[in-house]
Amino acid sequence: MINTTVGFGGLLDPATRMEITADEEDFGQTLAVWGWEDSRYLVLPFFGPSTLRDTTGMPADMAAYPVTYVDDDTVRVSLTALNLIDTRAGLLDQEELIRGDRYRFIRDAYLQSRQFEVHDGELGDDPFASDTFDFDDSDFDDSDFDDSDFDDSDVDNSDGDNSDFGDNDVTD
């Protein structure tokens, strides 16, 4: 609303300078807040990665999408195509980050991103990062280990090939 009125119909972005940001929410996130736990991961043709919960929320998202109610078909299709191109262009730079198994990488990245979005960026408590994680001096005490358990004096290495140590790669 601010960008439309103060920003000359949205040409300028004064809301960002005023630290007013828009939160993008969807019905899949609403279902998660209402108690639908994480669900099966799937890849939908033409839509890409999703979960069963997010797919269930898609009809509500489509009904709430303002472009759906544009009467002129040409304008509606053009705006939808522009949105798709913008989304794809935003993902092009991230394509080179994929390492290893492409499916697993995309699945894990998508699920982590959705978890982050559902919790509105709140990561929760990390017991290892908090000051309340209690360490006791006995956690670092090695007195219950006997150094003689690690003594190598009974190993015969007179041949020098390290085969007694489990290293069977003998080089000539």
Side-chain angles (χ1 to χ4, degrees):
M1 185 66 140
I2 292 175
N3 286 344
T4 304
T5 55
V6 179
F8 300 108
L11 295 174
L12 302 176
D13 186 13
T16 301
R17 282 181 259 139
M18 296 168 61
E19 297 181 7
I20 299 172
T21 58
D23 295 327
E24 290 193 27
E25 303 288 336
D26 58 48
F27 200 65
Q29 292 176 10
T30 303
L31 291 172
V33 171
W34 287 351
W36 188 334
E37 297 293 324
D38 294 332
S39 60
R40 300 276 184 191
Y41 173 79
L42 47 109
V43 179
L44 301 172
F46 303 109
F47 291 103
S50 188
T51 62
L52 186 59
R53 177 189 64 217
D54 295 336
T55 303
T56 303
M58 280 180 133
D61 293 335
M62 289 178 187
Y65 188 54
V67 175
T68 305
Y69 301 103
V70 174
D71 290 330
D72 187 1
D73 289 338
T74 306
V75 174
R76 185 175 59 248
V77 170
S78 298
L79 289 173
T80 302
L82 184 62
N83 185 24
L84 291 172
I85 292 169
D86 182 54
T87 300
R88 179 64 184 141
L91 296 172
L92 286 176
D93 291 340
Q94 298 173 13
E95 189 88 22
E96 63 191 36
L97 297 175
I98 297 175
R99 300 283 184 254
D101 184 12
R102 183 178 178 83
Y103 174 82
R104 285 185 187 176
F105 186 94
I106 292 173
R107 179 195 64 198
D108 293 344
Y110 175 79
L111 292 175
Q112 288 176 17
S113 173
R114 287 303 290 172
Q115 189 76 12
F116 185 79
E117 290 170 356
V118 165
H119 294 292
D120 293 327
E122 306 245 344
L123 299 177
D125 294 333
D126 184 1
F128 296 104
S130 68
D131 292 335
T132 61
F133 191 77
D134 293 328
F135 284 111
D136 192 357
D137 288 337
S138 65
D139 293 331
F140 302 101
D141 187 17
D142 291 337
S143 63
D144 51 339
F145 291 105
D146 186 13
D147 287 339
S148 65
D149 292 339
F150 304 106
D151 188 19
D152 293 334
S153 62
D154 60 334
V155 177
D156 178 27
N157 193 23
S158 59
D159 55 359
D161 69 354
N162 291 334
S163 63
D164 298 325
F165 294 104
D167 183 13
N168 293 328
D169 294 333
V170 179
T171 56
D172 292 328

